[in-house]
């Protein structure tokens, strides 16, 4: 079975080899595959979306608008890999949120986000 890390790696490799300019942006972001919990999906939807996955791209403030501009291209690659959506999230806002429990619940993700927002261009 293909793991979420493998899918993220495949996504990055495809972008790196086919769209080097976009890869330059994504190499400064954190790309993660997300699988929604079954209780978050609607029961009455005819198509079973319980096992769908999407890509979350955590971007620093300085790159957010540039990555969002490329969202159609990123979504095209994601669909090629069988993923349903691309979501761009502002890493700076997540790190500054006083109500966030990201550090306690997902310490590895918290460290990765801290790393990308402190990097210089």
């Amino acid at each position: 079975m293909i793991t979420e890390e493998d899918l993220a790696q495949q996504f990055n490799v495809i972008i790196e080899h086919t769209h080097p300019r976009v890869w330059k942006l994504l190499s400064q972001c954190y790309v993660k595959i997300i699988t929604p919990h079954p209780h978050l999906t609607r029961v009455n939807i005819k198509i079973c979306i319980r096992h769908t996955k999407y890509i979350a791209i955590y971007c620093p403030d300085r790159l957010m608008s540039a990555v969002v501009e490329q969202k159609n291209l990123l979504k095209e690659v994601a669909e090629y890999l069988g993923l349903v959506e691309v979501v761009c999230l502002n890493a700076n806002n997540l790190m500054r949120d006083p109500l966030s429990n990201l550090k306690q619940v997902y310490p590895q993700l918290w460290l990765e986000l801290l790393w990308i927002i402190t990097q210089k261009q």
Side-chain angles (χ1 to χ4, degrees):
M1 182 173 184
I2 297 176
T3 65
E4 292 170 352
E5 291 82 19
D6 292 337
L7 274 174
Q9 180 72 19
Q10 289 176 5
F11 180 80
N12 285 332
V13 167
I14 290 171
I15 295 294
E16 181 180 8
H17 290 290
T18 58
H19 306 286
R21 195 176 111 261
V22 177
W23 170 246
K24 195 171 183 179
L25 294 172
L26 280 188
S27 65
Q28 300 174 54
C29 299
Y30 183 73
V31 177
K32 182 171 175 61
I33 304 296
I34 306 290
T35 304
H37 295 289
H39 67 275
L40 296 178
T41 58
R42 292 181 163 213
V43 178
N44 60 354
I45 296 178
K46 292 179 183 176
I47 300 171
C48 180
I49 62 168
R50 201 168 13 155
H51 300 290
T52 59
K53 295 178 180 171
Y54 62 94
I55 292 186
I57 302 174
Y58 298 90
C59 308
D61 268 342
R62 67 183 189 281
L63 298 177
M64 192 67 184
S65 62
V67 172
V68 170
E69 285 178 9
Q70 301 298 324
K71 192 169 177 183
N72 288 334
L73 171 75
L74 297 171
K75 187 172 180 177
E76 197 175 295
V77 174
E79 287 173 352
Y80 175 76
L81 292 172
L83 305 167
V84 294
E85 187 62 67
V86 174
V87 179
C88 299
L89 301 164
N90 190 318
N92 291 75
N93 290 348
L94 285 172
M95 297 300 285
R96 280 188 245 138
D97 185 0
L99 299 177
S100 174
N101 62 353
L102 190 64
K103 186 176 181 179
Q104 293 79 23
V105 178
Y106 302 104
Q108 179 71 30
L109 177 60
W110 183 81
L111 287 171
E112 294 283 349
L113 296 181
L114 186 61
W115 174 257
I116 66 166
I117 65 172
T118 57
Q119 294 301 303
K120 300 285 185 205
Q121 234 178 353

